[in-house]
Amino acid sequence: MSAIDDLLAAARSGLDRAEPEQAQRLQRDGALIVDIRPHVNRLEEGEIPGSVVVERIHLEWRLAPDSEWRLPEVKPDSTVIVVCNEGYSSSLAAADLRRLGLPGATDLEGGFRAWRSAGLPIREGGTPAVP
Ligand SMILES: O=S(=O)([O-])[S-]
């Protein structure tokens, strides 16, 4: 196993990852879906309705419950589902968020592309990231 495989396995060992339909149910129950994909992917492939776009470089500051720059909707008990293209970098990001005091952080298994393959709703892409 490579170092990144080890890192990914360690990150996922602490996550209760959500499959697409489950993520949709969690969203209906109030979970926040956070899209960290690059703009070009979102523009070309679309986005999950109701998701919030956060640049990967800003993620920890926008989501850590004790950060003065956090999104107002983020609380220590929030359920947050991080979404990337295929569900790799989102696992690392979600593990970071858990370490920062967000135990309800997880990620979307298979990423946006699994959501799309499941036939779930998609909105037009290219939404500006939260500042
Ligand atoms: O976006 S990705 O990390 O799944 S390639």
Side-chain angles (χ1 to χ4, degrees):
M1 274 227 308
S2 66
I4 185 60
D5 288 336
D6 287 343
L7 187 67
L8 193 58
R12 287 179 173 169
S13 70
L15 299 177
D16 186 12
R17 306 184 75 208
E19 292 182 351
E21 289 82 2
Q22 186 187 1
Q24 188 186 42
R25 282 195 298 277
L26 289 168
Q27 186 188 34
R28 286 193 184 127
D29 290 345
L32 186 64
I33 294 188
V34 175
D35 192 334
I36 60 168
R37 291 177 298 146
H39 182 262
V40 64
N41 296 125
R42 293 186 289 100
L43 195 59
E44 287 175 3
E45 300 177 44
E47 299 171 357
I48 296 175
S51 63
V52 175
V53 177
V54 179
E55 296 282 0
R56 179 63 189 91
I57 59 169
H58 296 151
L59 185 73
E60 287 82 353
W61 287 267
R62 297 291 174 269
L63 274 296
D66 67 349
S67 166
E68 66 179 284
W69 298 283
R70 75 182 177 282
L71 299 173
E73 58 266 51
V74 175
K75 309 282 184 263
D77 63 349
S78 294
T79 300
V80 170
I81 304 168
V82 184
V83 177
C84 65
N85 285 324
E86 296 186 349
Y88 291 91
S89 58
S90 58
S91 297
L92 303 180
D96 266 359
L97 297 181
R98 290 174 66 89
R99 276 195 292 276
L100 287 170
L102 205 53
T106 189
D107 73 329
L108 177 61
E109 217 172 319
F112 175 82
R113 290 173 186 160
W115 176 282
R116 184 182 57 196
S117 294
L120 296 174
I122 291 173
R123 75 176 177 215
E124 194 174 331
T127 303
V130 294

